[in-house]
Each structure stands twice: as C-alpha cells, then as structure tokens.
Amino acid sequence: MTNREFDFLKEHFSGEELERAKERVENGEPLAYVIGEWYFWDQTFLLNEACLIPRADTEHLVEHGLKRLKKGYYFADLCCGSGCIGITLLKHTENTKCLFADISQKALDMAKLNAQRIGVLERCEFVCANIKDNSSFLNRQFDVIFSNPPYIPTNVIETLETVKHEPKIALDGGEDGMDFYRLLINDYLPLVKEGGSMLLEIGYDQKEAIEELCQCSVYRDYGGNARVAVIDK
Ligand code: GLN
C-alpha cells in the first residue's frame, strides 16, 4: 500500500476498522470501494460494489454537457451507476430535470442517495430498467441524453487488471464493445428533440467505430485519447 492510500484510510477509519480496511486494500480491493466513496468533478460520490468507480475521464462528458444544457432542460443519464454524471450536471445547471436509468437497483439506490446528499433529489426521476428494452422510455422526449455505457469488448475485460473488482455488467460492451452505442443510436436518439444532443463517453480506440454508426463530433481527453462523442440533432 502506498503512503497516500494509507492516508486516505486514516481519514476514514481508526482502530480495528483501520486494520480491516488495510487488509482489504492490501488484498487488491480498490480504495474507492473500501472507503465507500470517490472523487468526481467538485465532490465525492458514495459507492457500493454495484457501481462503477467514477473516472476522471468521464468528467469530459460533464464538461461538454454543461456547454449544451440550458435552463429548464430535461435530460437523461442512461446506465447511471452512482449517478455521478447526471447529478453533477443537475448541480451546476438551473431548473433542469434528469431521468436516471440503470439495470441495477443497488446502483440506482446509491444514485438516489447521492442525489439526496447533494441536494438535487427533487429534480430526479429513477427508473430501474435494462435499456435494451426501451418501452419504459418511449413516451418521453429529452433535450439531451447522456451515457457512459459499458464499452469494453467482452474478451478484453479479463485482460484488464484495473477493472477486475468492478461489476462486469458495467463494463461489458459485447463482442466489439459497441453493443450499447448501436442501441443508443437506434432506439434512444429518436427520443432526443430536434435541436437537442446525445453525448456519449467512448473508449480510446472507438472513434472510427462510432463515426461509422452516426454523424458525430469526437472530442479528446487530456491524455489525447478520443473520449466523448457528441451527436447533435
Ligand atoms: N455513469 C456511471 C459512471 O460514469 C456508470 C457507468 C457504467 O456503469 N458503465 O461512472
């Protein structure tokens, strides 16, 4: 364990609990799960093991989102996990409302708790659904749809040390990693109002594949990797 990791643990635990937490980190568990929260944008988000750990890369989606959200907009955060994207956007925009959807009730419970803690709960709606079935969304029209869907090709997941403690359903994008993008573009883009947008986080090597699926602008992260695709309607 690094000194920095130990400092984090000391901020959260003492005595027996600190010993147990140290053991978990030494056994390879991500610090974020051990302390039960992680940093995103301007604050922390509570987490359980049904949630993907928020990544700094995903802050680029928020950055581009803030440029597009206007006062009073209704938007969606699909595959919301901890809710870090939608909640951050609600916090920094006026009078907006967000529909959060996730397949995992446990993740959604955490998103609800985060929304409450950050003071935006009354502007949230939560739907526990597999987005592969869009029937619970059909009567809605959104100004903007956001998603950081699972996008790692199935056979690559096992090779990645960095994600091995995170829920596979939050990572697995099917054989070529593009399953959720095809779904979002075919079934959810029609739910975006004319003049609205869909903003998607993508993997560093998925720029060409997403451009083949739709007309979009792809933006890079600070590491120079393709990271955000914006489809304007
Ligand atoms: N939207 C959440 C995040 O960005 C979860 C994403 C996911 O589960 N694929 O952290």
Side-chain angles (χ1 to χ4, degrees):
M1 187 175 5
T2 62
N3 284 343
R4 184 167 169 263
E5 283 171 330
F6 189 52
D7 286 343
F8 266 115
L9 292 185
K10 279 194 300 192
E11 268 176 39
H12 288 79
F13 306 104
S14 61
E16 268 293 294
E17 275 189 349
L18 179 60
E19 288 313 305
R20 264 203 305 275
K22 260 168 72 180
E23 219 168 280
R24 288 174 65 186
V25 174
E26 266 153 15
N27 286 332
E29 245 184 276
L31 193 58
Y33 288 142
V34 177
I35 63 176
E37 62 182 325
W38 203 243
Y39 300 81
F40 186 79
W41 201 257
D42 60 349
Q43 62 172 82
T44 62
F45 282 79
L46 300 176
L47 298 178
N48 59 27
E49 279 159 43
C51 303
L52 192 80
I53 301 168
R55 303 294 203 276
D57 288 341
T58 305
E59 293 175 350
H60 290 280
L61 194 62
V62 169
E63 193 184 322
H64 288 283
L66 286 174
K67 290 183 197 157
R68 281 170 177 78
L69 288 181
K70 298 195 180 120
K71 195 171 167 179
Y73 265 20
Y74 178 49
F75 64 98
D77 178 356
L78 304 180
C79 309
C80 67
S82 64
C84 60
I85 299 168
I87 293 170
T88 306
L89 291 166
L90 284 172
K91 182 178 170 188
H92 295 283
T93 52
E94 230 181 296
N95 247 333
T96 46
K97 286 202 171 71
C98 179
L99 176 121
F100 293 84
D102 202 278
I103 191 170
S104 158
Q105 185 61 53
K106 267 185 92 178
L108 218 53
D109 289 345
M110 210 29 101
K112 218 176 273 183
L113 205 61
N114 280 317
Q116 190 175 26
R117 184 169 168 250
I118 293 161
V120 296
L121 188 61
E122 65 286 356
R123 293 194 276 143
C124 300
E125 241 180 294
F126 297 92
V127 176
C128 186
N130 181 347
I131 65 159
K132 287 189 175 154
D133 166 17
N134 72 352
S135 54
S136 36
F137 304 94
L138 282 180
N139 56 353
R140 297 169 198 266
Q141 284 280 297
F142 299 98
D143 294 296
V144 186
I145 292 180
F146 294 88
S147 185
N148 174 23
Y151 60 70
I152 305 177
T154 309
N155 62 7
V156 174
I157 297 174
E158 305 302 323
T159 69
L160 297 175
E161 195 60 25
T162 45
V163 296
K164 76 172 185 204
H165 291 272
E166 291 176 90
K168 199 156 179 277
I169 49 164
L171 304 165
D172 192 347
E175 202 180 328
D176 63 352
M178 298 297 291
D179 280 6
F180 285 87
Y181 301 118
R182 279 187 284 269
L183 176 79
L184 287 160
I185 290 160
N186 290 332
D187 293 357
Y188 290 84
L189 196 54
L191 308 184
V192 174
K193 292 180 192 165
E194 286 305 315
S197 326
M198 177 177 268
L199 279 78
L200 307 171
E201 175 167 327
I202 59 168
Y204 72 96
D205 56 356
Q206 290 172 327
K207 180 176 188 288
E208 282 74 31
I210 196 91
E211 284 170 346
E212 250 172 59
L213 288 183
C214 63
Q215 222 187 352
C216 59
S217 310
V218 173
Y219 298 92
R220 291 181 187 277
D221 61 25
Y222 295 134
N225 293 315
R227 189 56 62 198
V228 175
V230 180
I231 307 156
D232 287 313
K233 258 183 103 170

